[in-house]
Amino acid sequence: MALSVAGVSHAFGDRRALVDVSLEVPAGSFTVLLGLNGAGKSTLFALITRLYDNVSGEIRVFGNDVRRAPSAALRQIGVVFQSRTLDADLSLLQNLAYHAALHGFGRAAARARAMELLEIIGLADKARDKVRALSGGQARRVEIARALLHDPRCLLLDEATVGLDIGARDGIIALVRGLVARQGLGVLWATHLIDEVAPSDRIVILHKGRVLFTGDHDALLAMTGTATIREAFTTMTGSADAQSTGAVAA
Amino acid sequence: MKTIPLDRAPPTLADAPQRAGFPGYLACFNGIVWREMLRFIHQRERFLSALVRPLVWLFIFAAGFRQVLGVSIIPPYETYVLYEVFVTPGLIGMILLFNAMQSSLSMVYDRETGTMRTLLVSPFPRWFLLTSKLIGGGAVALLQVYVFLLIAYAWEIEPPLLGYLTVLPALFLASLMLGALALFMSSIIKQLENFAGVMNFVIFPMFFASSALYPLWRIRESSPLLYEICRFNPFTHAVELIRFALYAQIDPASLAAVLGFTAVFLAAAIYAYNPSKGLLGRRGAPGGTA
């Protein structure tokens, strides 16, 4: 199992952000973490990446407990955060080299690896350009390349397509799905956009800090007796929520 | 948009070995310091303002004050010195203080934009990452200080040549102390705009209630209470450590104080950024997104 989260709760003061959350991401799977804004997706990411401590429950990355063996766990994880985390004033190569250094790569190895990944995401010719000059979609692809630099086997993406146009979005999704298919990565894809779910995906529905459903596409439809994921999501979470926020796009 | 060649063979770990142990730590440390330097080079306005600030004090304030404030012979000076000479270590302290607080600002900003997250998902221990970042920030400050000293030399502030070398460890230690304090503060400050508060409640009191601008015996003459506050101020000790080191001397009391404060501030900062003990997870930072 690439990632397993068992019985994790977290609170900020009185506000309970996550309540007894359990989910699993098998290696070689594309698992969609579906939830509206504020459902607790980013909090869960912060717990998995050890920005916060999981006070109750257990989080394991390929069997490594993130509390007891944070180093071994973090080595296996690549993360793309919701907010942009590249240095706009530095070049693509400099950004990637910095991240490689954070994972203990020597300079030469870092460069070689960075160039290789820039090739893969189709931005090798922009290696020396500043990140500032990139489009939103290109910057996202660089962030994915960065997340892959240290060859993690588990990739976490938090709303990776937010703010991107349809073309760029499709490009990002295709890139990540390709990684799952070809490299056997376990991917946890957090999103509030229902149309990013494919029939082959595993689905976890997170709502107001609680997991309402885990399973595959067909199981979700069967359980809710609906024809589409959108209807199933609306049924499970309450239609008023979905409509009032307008967050769930069809 | 370019097409993505997904049919390429994936790179493997064997191509680029990730290093553990000492070489890995060294690569990580170098990477963090190198990034701080790069960021600094790319922010020319920051460099300019960091330099202009103490120079304005030196060229205008000190020149004006020269006639007002007489400085008697106090160690480490062996003769009467001009006010400009006396105030130089204080202005060096000012460079370090502003640099540290600016890095505190960037910490808050980083945390909001997520760069801090990138740092903290590194598999190396958090104390190591944070200390490396502080040293990186300190290295940037040293650069500023030496450029300032070079300009000050042309203004006839001429400490002994050896002083330029002996001041180096003092600068390093002082910037580490102030950086650690700033780092700890960055874990407490919630919002970026609160930096104005940092100016008012931290930078100004620290700077003015210290020996940066006037000798402490002068302060004691006017207010014994203020004198005690100045004596307790970590910044006073940083300035005195630099003042003596610039004349190739060691002030043991200041050295002890700066070492002690550094240890305390560093421990507090590491504590605050420790996910299981610190303050981050309790209050919903960073980003504020759930």
Side-chain angles (χ1 to χ4, degrees), chain A residues 10-13 15 38-43 46 49-53 67 70-71 74-75 79 81-87 89-90 94 97-99 101-107 109 113 116-117 119-123 125 130 141 146 150-151 158 167-168 171-172 174-175 178-179 182-183, chain B residues 1-21 23-25 27-32 34-35 38-39 42-43 111-126 129 133 273-277 280-286 288-290:
Chain A
H10 193 75
F12 298 117
R15 192 169 67 83
K41 302 189 296 288
S42 294
T43 303
T49 54
R50 246 182 90 72
L51 196 65
Y52 311 152
D53 204 28
R67 295 180 83 182
S71 207
L74 288 173
R75 271 181 207 283
V79 201
F81 290 111
Q82 184 174 352
S83 52
R84 301 288 155 91
T85 57
L86 295 170
D87 242 316
D89 290 326
L90 305 189
Q94 286 168 337
Y98 170 59
H99 185 81
L102 288 180
H103 281 269
F105 285 96
R107 191 160 287 213
R113 177 87 177 145
E116 199 165 0
L117 281 161
E119 284 282 334
I120 289 179
I121 61 163
L123 290 174
D125 55 330
K130 286 189 177 178
R141 278 195 275 159
R146 185 179 61 180
H150 56 286
D151 212 14
D158 190 5
I172 297 287
L175 173 65
L179 292 167
R182 293 179 188 282
Q183 303 196 21
Chain B
M1 198 176 68
K2 284 180 184 295
T3 52
I4 299 153
L6 287 171
D7 51 334
R8 276 182 65 104
T12 62
L13 196 59
D15 296 333
Q18 205 168 341
R19 294 184 292 187
Y25 275 84
C28 181
F29 173 79
N30 285 342
I32 293 172
W34 170 78
R35 173 178 175 268
L38 271 182
R39 265 165 65 99
H42 285 284
Q43 297 174 334
R111 223 177 46 211
E112 286 180 352
T113 57
T115 314
M116 195 64 180
R117 288 183 154 193
T118 318
L119 179 72
L120 296 183
V121 294
S122 160
F124 291 101
R126 210 154 279 190
L129 298 170
K133 193 161 166 79
Y273 274 95
N274 181 328
S276 59
K277 300 190 182 76
L280 283 181
R282 304 247 162 94
R283 50 142 224 246
T289 49

Side-chain angles (χ1 to χ4, degrees), chain B residues 53 98 101 185 194-208:
Chain B
R53 198 180 300 115
F98 268 88
M101 291 302 151
M185 282 170 37
N194 284 0
F195 191 68
V198 175
M199 284 283 267
N200 286 331
F201 292 104
V202 181
I203 293 185
F204 288 155
M206 262 188 125
F207 183 65
F208 289 117

